Amino acid sequence: VSDWVARSVIFAILMTCLFSFAFYSSPVAAMGYYGIQSSDVQFGMVVLYGSTVAFLALDVRIVKYFEARKYLLTAIALNAICSLICFHFKDYALFMVCQFVQGITCALMSGIVLLLIFPRLHSMHARVIAYSILYGSIQIAAPLYSIYTSIVLHFFDFNWLFYGYTVILIILTFAVLLTMNSKARFTKKMPLYQLDLIGYVLYASLILVFGYIMVYGRQLGWFGSSLITTLSVINLIILSLFIIRELKLKRPLINLQIFRTKNFIIGLLMLITFYIFKGSNGLAYGYLEVILGTDPLSTVPIWMAVIMGTVISMFVTSRFVLMGFNLVKIIILGFVVMAVYYVYMIQFVSIHGETSDFILPLFMYGVATGVLFVPIVSFTNSSAPPSIAVNASLVGILARFIGFTAGLAFSNELQLFTKSAVREKVRETITETNPQLPVTLLDIQKQYATTGNDLYTSKTISAAYFNKMVVQQILARATRDYYTLMLIGVILVIIILIILPQIKKVSLKLKKNQMPY
């Protein structure tokens, strides 16, 4: 087929493999459908993401054994089966099992996308552009699926998201059957001897247990809970066994020698930090939904602003990278834009506002993520020795997962802290001895009385309205305090990057055998 058809199919495979994350675009809808808590929704994301991260380490070997088209069609078929099961059975435990399987298929499909794109790119120019397109696609996937989710949930129930996914998978199956060579391989067929399946089990267990601790730690009281303490000890044992095993094997799941590179470690820390700050964006969507009462369809312009900001900044940033601009300076600029986004949110978050007021800051958020992603990944990847560059990819996606889960834990902890502080201040102010309290309640009663309600109804409704107003004020103030703390964190990161000497003169060296993550 022609190049544009091939590229279109590759792009479709990439976007489809990320589609499972669309089920979490509306946490409230997922909570209502399955009757679960917000932490359960977060753990669902962790299972999907963690399963993808773990299987990618195994997929590096498996993909060399099977023919590409059969391998891809197997992944699509498994995905479709899981979607149909979730469509017909409203069971959270079954949903979690399917999410783990879909995480494996996500790794399968994304691994094939990488092998379809990067081995044929020889020049650094082509590789930087490909990095930008790949990461731009990953970054805009969440807003795109959120738009899809908003539209589906406006007209149908939550389980129709699974039905829509199945239809997309059927369409992709026909596209793959029509365009891909049935006998083509990426490499010479390599037998699956010395495949580290035990290492994979340890690695997957390590990731999922860590994710569970990060999600439920705050809810269970961290180390005040015997469960969290036990799981932490078990995870340390698993980590020790995994490290010992990987150091002894001739063909380890992950070559741990990669951790000997200093700048690679710094790159991983920047990647984790970036994901922690990136995760704070969920609070903005919660604010729009809970306080401003924005319906799902009205958030579409917000998502479009994020997409536009990401695409434009990715394109511009890739040009600056190719022109030889210092990577660290570009990264600092990205964090500065993120800081400006926080400043804007601090100024504009209140119980009164319009959705349109937040199009600009969310556009700036998209710009910040677009500016940061490619330089951080390029910095990290170019620091890795070419002989073990594949392991840089595997450790890099693990760092992204750690940043994502740590961001969830950090956000949960920080939101609880800010809400508690604000609630305590409100409790000190709104008391029966405050002369303003009865005046305010009386004013609300009069408002309801003028609409035809009797005195008893007016009193009851006014009390409920007042309580709702107080809750909104607490949430708005807590949100501002949260963003203030995040702003302080970004400023500290910028200062550290400015004064850190060993990363100021890092040159970009992307080799052919270096794959992104």
Side-chain angles (χ1 to χ4, degrees):
V1 295
S2 61
D3 280 348
W4 72 268
V5 173
R7 289 167 184 165
S8 299
V9 174
I10 291 170
F11 181 76
I13 295 169
L14 174 63
M15 299 308 285
T16 305
C17 80
L18 299 170
F19 190 96
S20 297
F21 291 95
F23 305 137
Y24 305 100
S25 298
S26 178
V28 175
M31 289 161 60
Y33 182 73
Y34 284 110
I36 55 178
Q37 299 178 355
S38 59
S39 54
D40 298 322
V41 177
Q42 291 179 349
F43 187 61
M45 285 191 286
V46 166
V47 169
L48 176 63
Y49 200 167
S51 175
T52 302
V53 172
F55 195 79
L56 273 172
L58 202 62
D59 181 70
V60 171
R61 287 283 309 278
I62 296 177
V63 76
K64 295 176 183 178
Y65 179 78
F66 294 101
E67 293 169 354
R69 192 171 78 162
K70 289 181 180 178
Y71 196 50
L72 181 57
L73 290 174
T74 301
I76 295 173
L78 283 172
N79 237 330
I81 291 169
C82 288
S83 294
L84 287 172
I85 289 172
C86 292
F87 177 71
H88 288 289
F89 298 98
K90 187 178 176 180
D91 183 83
Y92 178 68
L94 193 60
F95 172 68
M96 296 300 288
V97 172
C98 289
Q99 287 296 275
F100 184 83
V101 175
Q102 286 182 312
I104 292 174
T105 61
C106 180
L108 266 164
M109 295 167 75
S110 58
I112 286 177
V113 167
L114 297 181
L115 286 169
L116 284 169
I117 298 173
F118 285 91
R120 68 182 69 184
L121 302 176
H122 301 283
S123 70
M124 194 181 77
H125 178 277
R127 298 184 72 78
V128 170
I129 295 297
Y131 270 50
S132 300
I133 293 172
L134 175 70
Y135 292 124
S137 302
I138 292 172
Q139 291 298 301
I140 67 172
L144 276 176
Y145 295 147
S146 296
I147 293 172
Y148 162 81
T149 302
S150 299
I151 294 171
V152 171
L153 294 180
H154 184 76
F155 296 103
F156 304 101
D157 294 332
F158 182 84
N159 64 326
W160 284 88
L161 291 172
F162 301 110
Y163 183 84
Y165 189 23
T166 306
V167 172
I168 292 171
L169 289 168
I170 292 171
I171 295 170
L172 181 64
T173 300
F174 283 110
V176 169
L177 286 170
L178 291 172
T179 58
M180 284 190 73
N181 188 324
S182 61
K183 300 297 181 183
R185 290 181 174 275
F186 297 117
T187 60
K188 184 180 178 181
K189 184 176 180 179
M190 292 183 63
L192 296 177
Y193 57 87
Q194 295 182 340
L195 190 65
D196 191 11
L197 291 174
I198 296 174
Y200 165 71
V201 172
L202 291 172
Y203 190 44
S205 302
L206 181 72
I207 287 171
L208 294 181
V209 172
F210 174 78
Y212 185 92
I213 294 170
M214 289 293 102
V215 171
Y216 291 103
R218 173 66 271 168
Q219 183 178 322
L220 298 175
W222 292 112
F223 294 107
S225 164
S226 59
L227 176 61
I228 294 297
T229 304
T230 304
L231 287 176
S232 299
V233 172
I234 290 172
N235 228 27
L236 285 174
I237 295 171
I238 294 173
L239 177 60
S240 302
L241 292 173
F242 180 73
I243 292 172
I244 293 168
R245 180 178 178 80
E246 297 309 293
L247 290 175
K248 286 184 176 181
L249 287 180
K250 182 181 179 181
R251 291 182 176 85
L253 193 71
I254 297 175
N255 190 334
L256 301 181
Q257 302 299 321
I258 192 73
F259 287 100
R260 292 186 174 181
T261 311
K262 282 186 179 179
N263 281 339
F264 179 75
I265 300 296
I266 294 171
L268 292 181
L269 292 175
M270 284 196 291
L271 200 59
I272 292 170
T273 304
F274 164 64
Y275 262 77
I276 290 174
F277 289 126
K278 184 175 180 290
S280 66
N281 194 46
L283 197 61
Y285 301 127
Y287 163 77
L288 291 172
E289 186 175 347
V290 176
I291 297 181
L292 297 188
T294 307
D295 67 273
L297 287 182
S298 298
T299 59
V300 171
I302 299 289
W303 296 118
M304 292 300 296
V306 175
I307 292 171
M308 290 297 296
T310 304
V311 171
I312 293 170
S313 61
M314 279 278 188
F315 176 78
V316 174
T317 302
S318 65
R319 294 297 167 184
F320 278 108
V321 170
L322 289 171
M323 290 167 62
F325 275 68
N326 186 283
L327 288 177
V328 177
K329 289 182 179 178
I330 298 174
I331 293 169
I332 291 172
L333 176 62
F335 281 119
V336 168
V337 178
M338 186 71 80
V340 174
Y341 160 70
Y342 288 142
V343 170
Y344 193 107
M345 294 300 290
I346 292 167
Q347 294 296 319
F348 280 84
V349 168
S350 68
I351 62 168
H352 302 293
E354 298 291 334
T355 306
S356 57
D357 295 336
F358 295 90
I359 291 177
L360 177 59
L362 269 299
F363 174 82
M364 293 167 61
Y365 165 80
V367 170
T369 56
V371 171
L372 284 167
F373 211 166
V374 171
I376 290 177
V377 170
S378 301
F379 174 91
T380 309
N381 219 10
S382 60
S383 303
S387 59
I388 52 175
V390 171
N391 297 277
S393 305
L394 301 177
V395 175
I397 195 170
L398 175 63
R400 283 168 56 187
F401 173 79
I402 291 172
F404 172 76
T405 50
L408 290 177
F410 190 73
S411 179
N412 292 339
E413 194 74 32
L414 206 56
Q415 285 185 58
L416 184 66
F417 171 75
T418 53
K419 285 177 184 176
S420 298
V422 175
R423 192 176 288 112
E424 189 59 34
K425 291 178 182 178
V426 169
R427 188 181 291 115
E428 292 173 1
T429 306
I430 302 176
T431 61
E432 292 181 0
T433 57
N434 189 329
Q436 187 60 39
L437 179 60
V439 174
T440 302
L441 288 172
L442 188 60
D443 286 341
I444 298 172
Q445 287 177 32
K446 287 178 180 178
Q447 291 288 334
Y448 280 106
T450 55
T451 59
N453 293 298
D454 57 58
L455 182 62
Y456 177 78
T457 304
S458 297
K459 283 185 177 181
T460 305
I461 298 176
S462 64
Y465 177 82
F466 180 77
N467 290 333
K468 180 183 177 182
M469 187 172 64
V470 170
V471 169
Q472 287 182 330
Q473 289 283 5
I474 292 172
L475 186 57
R477 178 64 203 212
T479 301
R480 289 200 300 273
D481 290 349
Y482 175 88
Y483 280 121
T484 301
L485 293 172
M486 296 301 285
L487 175 62
I488 294 170
V490 170
I491 293 171
L492 289 174
V493 170
I494 293 171
I495 293 171
I496 292 170
L497 290 176
I498 291 173
I499 64 175
L500 210 60
Q502 65 262 40
I503 65 171
K504 289 183 178 179
K505 296 180 180 180
V506 176
S507 58
L508 180 62
K509 298 175 183 177
L510 297 178
K511 302 293 191 300
K512 182 183 176 182
N513 60 341
Q514 286 178 314
M515 299 280 283
Y517 41 79

